[in-house]
Amino acid sequence: MELETAADELKSVLNRLRRAQGQIAGIIRMIEEGRDCEDVITQLAAVFRALDRAGFAIIATGLQHCMAEGAQAAGDRDRMRARLEKLFLSLA
């Protein structure tokens, strides 16, 4: 059941990334057409938010998976915690 949840979550992430990809294509067209800077920046901000959400969802899915495998040794948990913390900070 845990794997289904992870697969569903990742499917949602893929959909979000595909929408962001479409937004980026739209931004390129906006720039090529000489659209207003404010409109372009607004769309860029939306893409940044979408990418951030996708990144956090991927990390959260990994965290859930790690928590489900709670039988790890303390050293492994500490290393995993440090890796996840680094990933979160990379999106901050």
Side-chain angles (χ1 to χ4, degrees), residues 9 11 14 25 41 43 47 54 58 64 68 72 77 79:
E9 181 65 30
K11 189 181 301 184
L14 286 173
I41 298 301
Q43 289 303 310
V47 170
I58 291 169
Q64 288 173 341
Q72 295 181 26
R77 283 193 305 260
R79 280 191 294 279

Side-chain angles (χ1 to χ4, degrees), residues 11-91:
K11 189 181 301 184
S12 172
V13 168
L14 286 173
N15 289 336
R16 186 181 305 271
L17 290 172
R18 285 185 183 106
R19 281 193 304 273
Q21 184 178 30
Q23 286 178 295
I24 290 170
I27 292 167
I28 291 169
R29 278 191 305 277
M30 291 172 73
I31 292 169
E32 290 172 343
E33 293 169 0
R35 295 276 301 270
D36 183 62
C37 177
E38 188 174 339
D39 293 339
V40 173
I41 298 301
T42 299
Q43 289 303 310
L44 277 173
V47 170
F48 285 134
R49 286 190 301 274
L51 292 176
D52 282 344
R53 287 185 190 125
F56 284 122
I58 291 169
I59 293 169
T61 301
L63 181 59
Q64 288 173 341
H65 181 71
C66 291
M67 289 173 58
E69 296 177 353
Q72 295 181 26
D76 289 342
R77 283 193 305 260
D78 291 342
R79 280 191 294 279
M80 182 58 69
R81 181 185 181 281
R83 287 177 56 204
L84 289 170
E85 184 177 329
K86 183 178 178 181
L87 287 172
F88 271 114
L89 291 174
S90 72
L91 292 173

